[in-house]
Amino acid sequence: MIGSRIRKILRDVWARKGRTFLVATAIFIGVTGTIALFSMSDILVGQLRTDIKEDELPMVQVSMSADPDAQLENEAYMKALADYPDVTTVQGGFSETPIFFKSSEDEDSFEDGFVKAYAVLNEQGELVDAPMDAPAVIDPYRVVAGTLPAPGANELSVETRMADEYGLSVGDTLYVRALSPSRDPATNGQTGTTEAWTITAIVFDPYAFTPKTTIYTDVANADYLAGRTGFNDFWLRFTSYDIADEQFEEIQSFIAENTPYTVAFAQTEDPAQSQLITGAQTISNLMGVLALVALIVSGFLVINVISSLVVEQKRQIGVMKSLGATRGDNFKIYSGIAFMYGLIGVIPGVILGIPAGNAAAHALAPEVNTIITGFRTSTFSIVLGVVVGLAVPVLASIIPVWGGTRVRILEAMTDLGIDANYGTGPLARIINKLPIPITIRQGLSNISLKKSRLTFTVITLSIAVGAFMGIFAIFESLTSGINLFIDSFNIDIGVFPSEPRDPDEVTTLIQDNFADDIQTMEPGFQIQVNFKGYEPELGVAGPPGIFGYGYDVTSDTPAFKFEISEGEKLTAENASNGIVLSSLLAANMDKTVGDTVVLQVPGNEMEMNVVGIADFPLEQAWADWHTLANIAGYTFDTIVPGTPLPEDAIPAEVQGFLSQAGSFIKYSTVVGIEDYAGSMPNDQVLALGLTPAVAPYLTFDEGSFPGDSGGDTPGVIISSDLASQLGLSVGDTLPVIARTADGSQGLPVVGIFSLPPMLQSGMSADFIGMFWRDLATLDGATIQSEPLPQGWFIITPIQDPTADELQTILDDMNDTLIEAGVPTFSLNFVELTDQISSGFATFQAILSAVAGLIAVVGALGLLTTLSMSVFERQKEIGVMRSIGAGSGTIAGQFLTEGLVVGIIAWIVGLPMMVLLQKVLLSVTGFDETFPFELSYTAMIVGLVGMLIITALASLGPSLGAARKTVSDILRYQ
């Protein structure tokens, strides 16, 4: 009997090859998708968990900028942070700081890159470059090849993905643009020189956000290459994340109040829930679950096929029972057929799913910031695909087989293949009265008769269209929200100096050199802000916090544009303390026009009046840029000279040198020294007002760089040559005669230095240096503090510019500014928009493709169902032929059935779309930023897509029915 059952199974599977192919294909698609996508998830998340360690992640990261005029004591700041209650680890340095490089000296343009460097306190409490093998280092990287650069040498490391991208290896040369005055004596301290740096190591950094363009070196070199002063990041770990979260705002205020740094942005994250891992896991698992759904819904197709097979073989079942076969024997036969369908689909599904999962993991690895090497598999995913692929058809067959094998012998032997209930019942009577063509009514009647069979097809298609519409709606919402955010910036390009610089200097450089490329140029400001008494629920979407954006409210072409839905816009009259809130922020804060809010930045706060509310889906606010800059303490000190300096006081060649000094020399004049004939006209000596940025370039024989006296007696530094001529040492008094004073003033000598190479060819040896503020005061000048914009937003005269057109302008601007000693960070907003859109489109395509798998399974189910219907209804087709029905009429009837099934599936899929949209928003964390909105576009696209799919699936069976001849029909049964 066992052999007979097996032969029966194999013969039925082979006899209906088309049906077998369709069912096995549906299972194959589900198994392939399940194995591939779950493997991809398992491989990626497993690699991320290997790369990213919880105890290496910061709990708080604070990004800031330093005034180049400030004298920084980073070691003291690090010690203060290390002593802060509950802080266990503190690290300073540079994170993703912009630089420029090229891999070949012959290349015409530079690539935009980033430099990273870390500093920590050693056991002796000294500030040192972080050894990457130290256990306390946050966000460490590891050496893949070579050795780490030697401190102070022109050496660097590159990330392994950057090495692959540019074909670099240990020992190669990378040409980097130094954004600080050059160390090379031959350049006379010129800024922006191209220098050859040796790659000594290839490293892997799992925490890098831009690994294909990231280099690594020590802190001093990073400072030199980036043209910055001091750190731009502090990373901290606390005894627990809960404490870190509680201290988040306090630690920012501590930094702002106890250091010269201005906090621009800060974020906190639970290392146990790192977005680097959870984000990838959420997306990957979501795709895997959708693929698993495709496999499960293929079971509905099995139910239909087995149901049809049992009905079709009712006489065979009766004959087998008459020969002694038990109900169990019949159950085993038809469940065995279902198992064979599964086996036929599983085998190629496993063969294709394994490499597909490996390929998908390799392809998606850069998107989730990791590297996959070699061929990877996931045993769990393979077992899951095989077990579910075999179990689903067998389990799906239980109900129809159990019901079908209950048939009695007499019933089976007297079956004529004609349904006596055709056209009866209330639904049939309603269909009969519809004012539509008879062929369409007949199609609807056939659907009403096969309700149970078509139910599973409808469910499959409704899941497919619901998933597609939900995914489409999600990304439509995200894309429109992001585009609305980007469109609120009324700019083409943005130019942001790396450090606070004289705004007149920057605007003059740009306007004098690029007048033809500029239509409008507006100052702007942005900073992360809080509002007293309000705790925002921060999601993973949108800006990581509430940002305040500042613009020129008096401009006819302001850098930001938004629609005021309530109140009024910002004007010169209300700009000093007025603020506009986004509609989402106002609603969450329960604020309206006329209310007051207390805007807080680290170390300061200000009460402001809500003058307007803008219709905007993100939590953010707008104010006059002067107001935001003043609140943030982002100001620039302008020196207003007292008595004008005679034109011939400083020779032209020296003036030329001083003009290239950049941020090193902020003020210059001449002074006299009692009983000493200086090299300047009238026996004067050149006096330079120095900023702390020059300190690393001075080698002191005695003493140190002069700090800001703060009103006390200022100190001076002199060259070793001048000290020798005057017989002075540190601690002695230098009798200085100011231009505006009657007599000399004794100033203490605080440092004696050797003339640096950059000064040797352009300067005489007899000059003195002072902290610039002290020298300006000594010379009778006054100092005024003015708000400073963070950058300038520019609109070009180009209509609909491309990213390449804007980048050409930006490259030229960068060259001009860097050569003038003003290193900048620039933004190409068209390129930014393209990158964001591309990233969203990638994930949308992947998720839509998975939804498409379900749609294909549903289409196969409809194709199979209609094919079986054609086979079962051959006598009906014969009757229609006998009364003159043509091929078009018959084909139209079956096509109508398919389209009606598609429309019903679309209607049923609408609530599924809503449910999936809400689930997707929740699991991805976008629900806080992008509230649920019903998408009518998704509905229309889903309906059109469903009609196309069902029409295509119905076309084959419809044509097959139309081709049936009378002889074919007479041979039926």
Side-chain angles (χ1 to χ4, degrees):
M1 187 65 189
I2 294 177
S4 299
R5 287 199 296 264
I6 293 176
R7 285 196 297 274
K8 164 68 174 170
I9 291 170
L10 295 177
R11 285 171 179 171
D12 275 1
V13 169
W14 181 253
R16 299 282 183 250
K17 292 185 284 293
R19 182 182 301 175
T20 299
F21 172 78
L22 292 175
V23 178
T25 299
I27 295 171
F28 158 75
I29 291 172
V31 170
T32 302
T34 299
I35 293 177
L37 293 174
F38 272 99
S39 293
M40 178 192 71
S41 174
D42 202 19
I43 294 168
L44 289 175
V45 173
Q47 186 63 53
L48 285 169
R49 293 194 182 280
T50 299
D51 296 339
I52 298 168
K53 297 177 174 56
E54 184 177 332
D55 58 355
E56 294 177 349
L57 290 166
M59 295 178 180
V60 173
Q61 180 176 350
V62 180
S63 298
M64 61 267 177
S65 61
D67 189 332
D69 298 341
Q71 189 162 7
L72 300 174
E73 299 178 7
N74 287 320
E75 185 174 299
Y77 311 147
M78 294 274 284
K79 288 179 180 178
L81 288 171
D83 292 338
Y84 194 86
D86 297 306
V87 169
T88 59
T89 308
V90 60
Q91 184 171 293
F94 296 84
S95 172
E96 309 287 341
T97 303
I99 60 168
F100 305 95
F101 72 89
K102 53 186 180 180
S103 55
S104 170
E105 192 174 14
D106 298 329
E107 292 178 11
D108 295 330
S109 60
F110 289 87
E111 300 284 346
D112 293 344
F114 299 90
V115 63
K116 294 180 72 172
Y118 305 137
V120 296
L121 295 171
N122 62 16
E123 294 180 355
Q124 291 74 39
E126 300 168 332
L127 190 62
V128 297
D129 286 290
M132 287 301 103
D133 55 353
V137 173
I138 297 174
D139 286 1
Y141 49 88
R142 67 172 184 265
V143 176
V144 176
T147 57
L148 291 174
N154 280 24
E155 297 178 349
L156 50 80
S157 308
V158 298
E159 220 279 343
T160 182
R161 282 160 282 188
M162 178 176 173
D164 293 339
E165 181 76 10
Y166 294 95
L168 302 172
S169 58
V170 173
D172 287 349
T173 298
L174 196 67
Y175 297 89
V176 187
R177 194 167 200 175
L179 304 184
S180 296
S182 175
R183 298 166 176 166
D184 185 352
T187 64
N188 291 327
Q190 183 180 350
T191 300
T193 58
T194 302
E195 299 182 357
W197 287 60
T198 302
I199 299 173
T200 64
I202 307 296
V203 303
F204 172 61
D205 182 0
Y207 309 101
F209 288 100
T210 53
K212 290 186 177 181
T213 54
T214 300
I215 69 172
Y216 305 78
T217 186
D218 60 88
V219 171
N221 276 337
D223 187 279
Y224 171 69
L225 291 176
R228 300 183 64 97
T229 299
F231 298 154
N232 69 346
D233 284 282
F234 282 129
W235 298 267
L236 300 106
R237 286 182 60 88
F238 289 72
T239 52
S240 71
Y241 173 71
D242 289 338
I243 292 177
D245 193 39
E246 291 174 3
Q247 298 290 335
F248 181 53
E249 292 184 10
E250 287 78 3
I251 198 71
Q252 296 177 63
S253 296
F254 179 84
I255 293 171
E257 294 168 1
N258 294 276
T259 75
Y261 288 109
T262 298
V263 176
F265 166 74
Q267 64 180 357
T268 178
E269 184 177 36
D270 185 355
Q273 301 295 326
S274 171
Q275 282 295 326
L276 293 170
I277 296 177
T278 58
Q281 190 170 32
T282 297
I283 297 298
S284 299
N285 286 348
L286 179 63
M287 291 188 289
V289 168
L290 288 175
L292 187 59
V293 169
L295 178 54
I296 293 174
V297 297
S298 67
F300 299 149
L301 175 58
V302 175
I303 293 175
N304 282 348
V305 170
I306 298 299
S307 296
S308 176
L309 187 62
V310 170
V311 172
E312 178 186 327
Q313 297 188 2
K314 188 181 293 186
R315 286 189 178 183
Q316 291 187 31
I317 294 173
V319 170
M320 286 189 291
K321 282 191 172 184
S322 68
L323 294 176
T326 65
R327 186 178 182 185
D329 290 327
N330 282 307
F331 189 88
K332 292 174 183 176
I333 288 172
Y334 291 99
S335 292
I337 292 173
F339 178 82
M340 285 302 299
Y341 290 152
L343 185 62
I344 294 171
V346 163
I347 292 174
V350 172
I351 295 174
L352 184 60
I354 292 174
N358 172 73
H362 278 79
L364 201 59
E367 300 296 330
V368 298
N369 208 29
T370 190
I371 297 176
I372 304 296
T373 58
F375 191 89
R376 303 283 189 92
T377 60
S378 168
T379 302
F380 165 77
S381 302
I382 297 171
V383 172
L384 176 67
V386 171
V387 170
V388 177
L390 295 175
V392 162
V394 173
L395 293 175
S397 70
I398 291 177
I399 294 176
V401 171
W402 185 257
T405 54
R406 293 172 60 188
V407 65
R408 295 186 301 272
I409 295 176
L410 180 60
E411 179 186 354
M413 301 302 293
T414 57
D415 177 43
L416 298 176
I418 301 176
D419 193 338
N421 295 322
Y422 187 87
T424 64
L427 181 59
R429 288 193 291 272
I430 292 174
I431 293 174
N432 189 52
K433 293 182 179 180
L434 292 176
I436 54 179
I438 187 172
T439 55
I440 298 179
R441 290 205 307 272
Q442 192 168 357
L444 295 176
S445 297
N446 289 326
I447 290 175
S448 70
L449 288 173
K450 302 296 182 180
K451 290 188 290 290
S452 59
R453 177 186 298 177
L454 289 173
T455 295
F456 297 112
T457 302
V458 168
I459 292 174
T460 303
L461 289 171
S462 64
I463 291 175
V465 72
F468 174 80
M469 289 190 297
I471 292 168
F472 186 96
I474 280 287
F475 282 95
E476 181 189 31
S477 176
L478 297 182
T479 302
S480 62
I482 293 299
N483 287 341
L484 187 60
F485 170 74
I486 292 175
D487 290 343
S488 69
F489 290 82
N490 185 30
I491 62 176
D492 290 335
I493 57 179
V495 176
F496 307 92
S498 300
E499 291 183 331
R501 299 303 294 260
D502 183 348
D504 291 337
E505 176 189 10
V506 178
T507 54
T508 299
L509 280 169
I510 294 177
Q511 291 173 345
D512 287 353
N513 291 279
F514 301 96
D516 294 338
D517 296 318
I518 299 174
Q519 182 172 314
T520 64
M521 181 174 177
E522 301 284 344
F525 198 90
Q526 73 173 43
I527 190 170
Q528 188 180 19
V529 299
N530 294 308
F531 290 92
K532 193 172 185 178
Y534 176 60
E535 293 292 335
E537 293 289 336
L538 302 181
V540 299
I546 303 174
F547 272 84
Y549 293 94
Y551 64 98
D552 183 359
V553 301
T554 64
S555 172
D556 294 330
T557 55
F560 295 91
K561 55 183 180 181
F562 44 86
E563 294 295 329
I564 298 292
S565 56
E566 298 179 46
E568 61 180 356
K569 65 180 183 179
L570 290 163
T571 63
E573 288 72 27
N574 62 25
S576 60
N577 65 347
I579 190 169
V580 172
L581 304 179
S582 68
S583 52
L584 181 61
L585 179 59
N588 291 341
M589 292 176 62
D590 194 23
K591 295 291 183 180
T592 188
V593 174
D595 291 344
T596 60
V597 294
V598 178
L599 184 142
Q600 297 176 318
V601 300
N604 197 15
E605 63 180 37
M606 178 180 177
E607 184 175 273
M608 305 185 74
N609 297 321
V610 179
V611 300
I613 294 175
D615 188 13
F616 204 75
L618 302 178
E619 286 194 331
Q620 65 185 50
W622 297 267
D624 181 70
W625 77 263
H626 301 84
T627 303
L628 280 184
N630 281 322
I631 297 173
Y634 203 78
T635 58
F636 182 80
D637 291 322
T638 302
I639 303 173
V640 181
T643 303
L645 191 67
E647 292 185 3
D648 61 349
I650 301 177
E653 62 272 16
V654 177
Q655 290 181 0
F657 171 80
L658 294 178
S659 66
Q660 299 178 4
S663 60
F664 287 173
I665 303 172
K666 191 163 184 177
Y667 188 77
S668 58
T669 186
V670 292
V671 298
I673 297 178
E674 197 172 273
D675 299 326
Y676 178 76
S679 59
M680 296 291 106
N682 302 316
D683 295 330
Q684 299 284 295
V685 172
L686 182 64
L688 302 180
L690 305 175
T691 68
V694 76
Y697 298 88
L698 302 179
T699 302
F700 284 92
D701 302 330
E702 298 180 60
S704 60
F705 188 81
D708 189 349
S709 68
D712 296 331
T713 303
V716 298
I717 59 174
I718 59 178
S719 68
S720 54
D721 290 342
L722 183 58
S724 176
Q725 293 182 53
L726 297 176
L728 297 176
S729 301
V730 170
D732 292 340
T733 299
L734 182 69
V736 174
I737 305 172
R739 292 190 303 116
T740 57
D742 294 333
S744 65
Q745 177 183 355
L747 303 180
V749 177
V750 298
I752 297 174
F753 62 93
S754 299
L755 205 62
M758 70 177 66
L759 301 181
Q760 289 176 0
S761 60
M763 294 286 292
S764 60
D766 60 343
F767 70 90
I768 68 170
M770 298 175 64
F771 189 78
W772 69 270
R773 190 185 297 272
D774 290 331
L775 180 60
T777 302
L778 181 69
D779 201 43
T782 57
I783 301 171
Q784 297 178 349
S785 185
E786 301 289 341
L788 178 68
Q790 283 180 327
W792 285 263
F793 297 135
I794 298 171
I795 297 178
T796 68
I798 306 173
Q799 294 296 321
D800 298 322
T802 65
D804 289 340
E805 288 175 326
L806 296 181
Q807 194 58 49
T808 299
I809 297 173
L810 275 177
D811 289 341
D812 293 340
M813 282 188 181
N814 281 333
D815 289 343
T816 299
L817 290 167
I818 289 171
E819 288 172 2
V822 186
T824 60
F825 169 70
S826 57
L827 274 181
N828 181 330
F829 271 77
V830 173
E831 183 179 57
L832 177 64
T833 304
D834 292 344
Q835 290 173 347
I836 293 175
S837 300
S838 175
F840 274 103
T842 298
F843 283 110
Q844 183 179 10
I846 293 173
L847 288 175
S848 297
V850 177
L853 290 178
I854 305 175
V856 170
V857 172
L860 290 174
L862 181 61
L863 174 61
T864 305
T865 300
L866 291 179
S867 297
M868 292 186 298
S869 181
V870 171
F871 185 82
E872 292 171 348
R873 289 158 54 190
Q874 292 187 69
K875 287 187 176 180
E876 178 184 323
I877 296 171
V879 172
M880 294 173 64
R881 288 286 195 190
S882 68
I883 60 176
S887 297
T889 301
I890 296 172
Q893 179 180 324
F894 285 93
L895 186 61
T896 298
E897 291 181 31
L899 292 175
V900 170
V901 168
I903 293 173
I904 294 173
W906 175 77
I907 295 172
V908 176
L910 292 177
M912 292 186 180
M913 175 195 81
V914 173
L915 177 62
L916 181 61
Q917 189 177 353
K918 291 184 176 180
V919 170
L920 283 172
L921 281 171
S922 177
V923 299
T924 55
F926 289 116
D927 51 338
E928 294 295 338
T929 307
F930 299 98
F932 169 80
E933 289 185 4
L934 195 61
S935 172
Y936 296 102
T937 305
M939 294 181 185
I940 295 172
V941 172
L943 176 60
V944 172
M946 181 52 61
L947 291 177
I948 292 173
I949 288 174
T950 51
L952 292 175
S954 307
L955 190 60
S958 300
L959 295 177
R963 286 196 295 265
K964 289 290 182 182
T965 63
V966 175
S967 60
D968 292 332
I969 295 167
L970 291 175
R971 284 196 297 269
Y972 174 61
Q973 294 188 331

